Amino acid sequence: MMSATRISLPGDGVAMVADAYGDPAAPPVCFFHGGGQSRRSWAGSARRVAQAGYYGLTFDLRGHGESGWASDGDYLLEAYGRDVEAILAALGRPMALVGASRGGQSALVGGSRHPDRVRLIMLADVAPHIDDAGVEEIRGFFRASEAGFVSLDEAADALHRHLGQPRVADVSGLAKAMRTDGERLFWHWDPRTTSQQFLHPPSEGEALVAAAMRVTTPVVLVKAELSEIVSDESVRQFQALTPHLEVEVAHGVGHMFTGDHNDAFAERLLRHLTTYLPL
């Protein structure tokens, strides 16, 4: 199996840690995870594109995993977008951006400002207008995580109960996504990232609408058929803002379909990379 090299690039005032796969001289494909996840969620897809000849980079978002925590506590979407812009500047050549949920929002906001460097933005169940009822389920997961957990089993129960993920039989893998504080286990993110003020505030929608209107780079949306976040109406509104938007449907899955097993997503991605970021 292709191994990763841990690298660090400058974000907007924070260090952005990534796992890098493949040839550093090849065209970069940058992956950004959803809120509460880590760079490991895109490992399968990054490894697959690297095998095809690209340079796959999976980043921890600010306040997540090994990337820096915001000293000023800024976890608004615009801050995540500025991190993406800093990565674009650091890599300094044409690339593709791929993101799920919060990571997709970040890619759209930051990438839309640099059509000279971004050849493709591919989004996993992300749209400017989202269903707030669906966001409430995610808020519930964050609330359940605030006090930490006494065991990995309790953490696995929270994932299953609030995010609809299958209950994992072997919970040992969750240890990589957690940190210890005293006698309790906490997810490996800055608790401030899950504050109510950062979960779907009005400014988030404004930033996404502006980005959707501004973007000229090819944009592909892979909508989860059973999404609780992105509705058919959300897609229609996105298409009105971004007329060149391409839409595909991932059948039989919900919003968290890019959790920790997203290798199938890579095959869709590679088809578009062949068109927009050819080797």
Side-chain angles (χ1 to χ4, degrees), residues 47-279:
R47 190 176 289 116
R48 179 70 185 87
V49 299
Q51 290 168 342
Y54 293 91
Y55 186 39
L57 297 159
T58 66
F59 286 89
D60 280 333
L61 298 180
R62 64 168 48 212
H64 291 71
E66 293 185 75
S67 287
W69 290 15
S71 59
D72 58 0
D74 186 359
Y75 292 107
L76 289 170
L77 179 56
E78 282 286 355
Y80 290 98
R82 292 193 300 271
D83 290 336
V84 172
E85 291 186 84
I87 290 167
L88 292 172
L91 291 171
R93 59 191 192 272
M95 70 193 72
L97 305 178
V98 183
S101 197
R102 170 66 83 201
Q105 294 175 329
S106 308
L108 181 60
V109 170
S112 64
R113 296 191 174 109
H114 299 277
D116 55 325
R117 289 185 179 157
V118 181
R119 296 289 186 266
L120 169 68
I121 299 174
M122 193 151 176
L123 307 172
D125 214 45
V126 174
H129 301 93
I130 60 177
D131 188 339
D132 195 62
V135 177
E136 187 54 36
E137 295 181 10
I138 298 173
R139 292 189 182 109
F141 169 64
F142 289 146
R143 284 195 295 268
S145 303
E146 285 176 356
F149 306 97
V150 297
S151 66
L152 292 175
D153 276 301
E154 190 176 48
D157 289 339
L159 283 171
H160 173 63
R161 184 180 311 113
H162 295 283
L163 299 184
Q165 296 186 9
R167 175 58 163 85
V168 293
D170 180 5
V171 300
S172 60
L174 292 180
K176 296 178 181 178
M178 309 202 81
R179 57 186 172 86
T180 302
D181 189 345
E183 297 183 352
R184 298 185 73 80
L185 296 169
F186 292 83
W187 299 111
H188 212 313
W189 66 60
D190 183 343
R192 293 175 297 178
T193 67
T194 64
S195 298
Q196 186 71 23
Q197 62 183 314
F198 300 132
L199 297 178
H200 198 208
S203 64
E204 179 178 292
E206 294 165 5
L208 287 167
V209 167
M213 294 176 67
R214 176 173 62 234
V215 67
T216 57
T217 294
V219 182
V220 178
L221 165 63
V222 182
K223 182 195 179 303
E225 182 183 24
L226 307 179
S227 177
E228 323 82 69
I229 298 287
V230 178
S231 65
D232 291 340
E233 179 58 28
S234 298
V235 174
R236 284 191 287 271
Q237 292 174 328
F238 198 170
Q239 289 172 316
L241 294 168
T242 311
H244 62 281
L245 177 71
E246 299 177 56
V247 181
E248 299 179 3
V249 177
H251 294 283
V253 295
H255 178 69
M256 300 304 293
F257 75 103
T258 55
D260 291 323
H261 302 285
N262 54 45
D263 300 34
F265 190 92
E267 299 309 316
R268 295 177 182 269
L269 172 59
L270 282 168
R271 291 199 301 271
H272 293 287
L273 289 174
T274 300
T275 300
Y276 298 117
L277 191 66
L279 294 169

